[in-house]
Amino acid sequence: MSWIRNAARGVLGGFLIFAGTAHLTFARDTFQAQVPDWVPLNADFVVIASGVVEIVLGVCLLLLYRHQVAMGWIVAAFFVAVFPGNISQYVTHTDAFGLDTDSARLIRLFFQPLLIAWALWCTGALAALRSGTTTR
């Protein structure tokens, strides 16, 4: 894997660790605004749980090099799983993270597929899929 992919994987891992830490500390209330009303769990629990998951995923991206393809799929699945929160924020016109207009919230929706692609690319998961392999 090229140094660019390794660097991108490191940045993504760091981003996940930072976001997870934010879930647990200074941005906890803000993240609660993204939990859709239809989720049958306490919003604070969802924010804490997703924060812990983000930290674990970030650490795994940084340390589990031998399992990076699997980690790419897992991180991509996580980004898919939290996408309804972004959609809910747009549909319900909820202000959070400086997204205080519908156009800003709509633009943000287009970044989630980029995160998914980033996770799959920087871990070699896309290359493994194309080559028909399941490992790096």
Side-chain angles (χ1 to χ4, degrees), residues 92-107:
T92 61
H93 313 284
T94 304
D95 295 345
F97 300 108
L99 303 173
D100 55 2
T101 65
D102 284 343
S103 58
R105 288 184 284 268
L106 179 64
I107 290 168

Side-chain angles (χ1 to χ4, degrees), residues 50-129:
S50 61
V52 170
V53 169
E54 281 182 317
I55 292 169
V56 169
L57 291 175
V59 169
C60 287
L61 277 176
L62 297 175
L63 299 180
L64 298 181
Y65 183 80
R66 298 184 90 182
H67 303 286
Q68 63 187 344
V69 170
M71 288 309 308
W73 289 110
I74 293 167
V75 171
F78 175 79
F79 288 145
V80 169
V82 299
F83 191 53
N86 299 342
I87 294 169
S88 174
Q89 185 179 3
Y90 173 71
V91 170
T92 61
H93 313 284
T94 304
D95 295 345
F97 300 108
L99 303 173
D100 55 2
T101 65
D102 284 343
S103 58
R105 288 184 284 268
L106 179 64
I107 290 168
R108 181 173 187 246
L109 294 178
F110 292 98
F111 284 96
Q112 203 73 8
L114 294 177
L115 285 173
I116 294 165
W118 182 4
L120 296 175
W121 172 76
C122 75
T123 59
L126 283 179
L129 180 65

